[in-house]
Amino acid sequence: MKLEDKKRVLREMVLHRRFEERCYQAYIERKIGGFLHLYPGQEACCNGVMEAARPGHDYVITGYRDHIHAIKCGSDPKAVMAELYGKETGCSKGRGGSMHIFDVAHRFMGGYALVGGPFPLAAGIAKGIQLKGGDEISLCFLGDAANNQGVFHETLNMAALWKLPVLFVCENNQYGIGTSIDRSTAVLDQYKRVCSYGIESAQCDGQDIDVVYEHARTAVDYVRSGKGPYFLELMTYRYRGHSMSDSRGYRTREEEEVWKQRDPINILRDRLIATGEMSMDDFVAIEKETDIYIENEVIKFAEDSPEPNVADLEKYVLA
Ligand SMILES: Cc1ncc(C[n+]2csc(CCOP(=O)(O)OP(=O)(O)O)c2C)c(N)n1
Ligand SMILES: [Mg+2]
């Protein structure tokens, strides 16, 4: 990644972290309802892969932990926050909420609540690209536990058979809700599971964005050149609970601390400081500017936006 890009991405990752932490606060204040799955700890995954791809041009689909993927594709953080607030100005007009961020204009093809649901949709998008002859690729970001759904295997088979331009990104954060991967999954290395379909794959550190970026470049280039699907497994960790009602009784605080020692934002920040590209004061200033932006623009927009009109209840409902 070029130096200028690294500085920009650090700023973006700070926005992603603070945006999510502000969502947590808004949920406690009962401004946001329903389910809320947060992304802190995993920022290098989405950012590293998307820096190697073409946000807004390539199609992206993911599960319910979806706010940051949408923002990375180009969605306005204000429209994402308004969606979480259930407001008419939200990117799904307040009808979707946290798990159903959607922004076709930026080719963010949605967050989905069904675990594994996006697998065949990502393959379908890739088939569409193939039929039209475009140079886009389809990116499918999902968790480790999603790989235990039958649809994972059906999708891999067809994707390999038809050489579809789809990159599967497994954000392996070691848990599916409160179940650790070693209690749910027979083969712990997810990237090995796709070998039986003849799909190229790799596994790497998901906390260091430079490592993610380099692996993602190989993966993206492979898929875009028409060779078929690729599966990239990123080893990562979510700091907060699965959703909001999760006291994390299934894991130790010591384990969490070990992962926080390798925080993706700190890794990039410290590298830029070590090479003299920025100072700690510069970083603190970025955090402050970000907080002001989130408060004065993002939150304000969501707060000030109108609720959906009750008379419009059936609008946008397809039956
Ligand atoms: C089809 C289906 N089965 C079960 C659930 C309940 N559920 C919600 S999240 C989840 C775990 C998913 O974990 P993972 O794929 O690792 O993603 P992560 O939350 O760790 O990002 C489960 C079982 C669901 N939403 N959909
Ligand atoms: Mg998981």
Side-chain angles (χ1 to χ4, degrees):
M1 216 186 304
K2 288 197 222 94
L3 182 60
E4 274 318 298
D5 291 330
K6 286 190 194 192
K7 288 185 182 168
R8 171 181 51 77
V9 174
L10 179 65
R11 194 175 272 277
E12 285 183 51
M13 285 165 77
V14 170
L15 170 68
H16 300 158
R17 174 72 57 87
R18 310 297 266 207
F19 181 97
E20 294 288 81
E21 293 300 340
R22 190 60 182 79
C23 289
Y24 182 92
Q25 192 187 324
Y27 194 92
I28 301 289
E29 294 165 1
R30 293 176 174 257
K31 297 284 172 79
I32 296 174
F35 285 101
L36 182 67
H37 308 84
L38 301 173
Y39 200 58
Q42 301 186 202
E43 292 89 349
C45 298
C46 174
N47 279 281
V49 172
M50 290 302 288
E51 285 298 315
R54 292 167 66 186
H57 180 74
D58 293 327
Y59 293 90
V60 172
I61 194 165
T62 188
Y64 40 79
R65 210 176 291 287
D66 59 348
H67 317 155
I68 301 312
H69 299 79
I71 290 172
K72 189 71 184 177
C73 285
S75 298
D76 188 339
K78 294 200 280 288
V80 177
M81 188 62 83
E83 185 58 37
L84 301 177
Y85 269 64
K87 298 294 183 78
E88 185 70 29
T89 53
C91 52
S92 300
K93 309 234 182 288
R95 272 70 162 178
S98 169
M99 298 200 284
H100 307 287
I101 307 295
F102 217 93
D103 186 351
V104 180
H106 292 100
R107 299 197 167 172
F108 179 68
M109 306 310 282
Y112 291 82
L114 287 186
V115 172
F119 283 129
L121 300 179
I125 290 166
K127 186 70 192 164
I129 294 168
Q130 196 178 57
L131 289 170
K132 285 184 181 167
D135 71 341
E136 303 94 335
I137 65 170
S138 170
L139 292 118
C140 180
F141 290 85
L142 280 177
D144 43 292
N147 301 342
N148 290 334
Q149 290 288 62
V151 75
F152 173 64
H153 299 274
E154 296 172 56
T155 301
L156 292 179
N157 182 54
M158 283 193 274
L161 181 68
W162 294 336
K163 287 199 180 335
L164 298 181
V166 53
L167 170 56
F168 299 103
V169 181
C170 175
E171 298 192 34
N172 185 349
N173 62 12
Q174 336 280 325
Y175 290 91
I177 311 187
T179 306
S180 61
I181 186 164
D182 56 338
R183 291 178 61 218
S184 68
T185 307
V187 175
L188 297 185
D189 289 325
Q190 300 305 294
Y191 77 103
K192 291 181 182 168
R193 299 177 72 183
V194 307
C195 296
S196 62
Y197 298 98
I199 292 177
E200 286 292 319
S201 67
Q203 180 193 60
C204 74
D205 176 13
Q207 301 306 94
D208 184 333
I209 188 160
D210 287 326
V211 174
V212 175
Y213 176 75
E214 286 307 323
H215 282 80
R217 263 186 45 175
T218 303
V220 166
D221 289 351
Y222 180 93
V223 174
R224 208 183 297 285
S225 69
K227 291 185 183 139
Y230 196 102
F231 182 94
L232 181 60
E233 178 182 12
L234 307 174
M235 305 308 283
T236 188
Y237 202 77
R238 65 166 153 73
Y239 294 160
R240 291 206 172 271
H242 167 73
S243 183
M244 289 297 285
S245 54
D246 175 356
S247 52
R248 310 182 331 278
Y250 47 85
R251 67 187 197 190
T252 63
R253 299 299 83 88
E254 289 74 28
E255 179 186 291
E256 295 176 353
E257 276 315 307
V258 169
W259 279 91
K260 285 181 180 175
Q261 291 305 310
R262 299 202 65 253
D263 180 78
I265 295 177
N266 292 353
I267 288 175
L268 180 56
R269 177 199 67 191
D270 292 348
R271 195 167 287 149
L272 290 174
I273 289 176
T275 53
E277 297 305 330
M278 66 183 290
S279 67
M280 195 51 141
D281 286 348
D282 294 335
F283 180 75
V284 172
I286 290 173
E287 286 187 313
K288 277 196 185 137
E289 284 163 28
T290 304
D291 285 346
I292 291 170
Y293 163 71
I294 290 175
E295 217 47 51
N296 294 358
E297 298 195 39
V298 176
I299 291 290
K300 187 174 187 322
F301 178 79
E303 297 264 356
D304 292 350
S305 290
E307 301 277 351
N309 195 331
V310 177
D312 292 339
L313 194 62
E314 289 174 25
K315 210 172 165 184
Y316 314 119
V317 174
L318 191 66

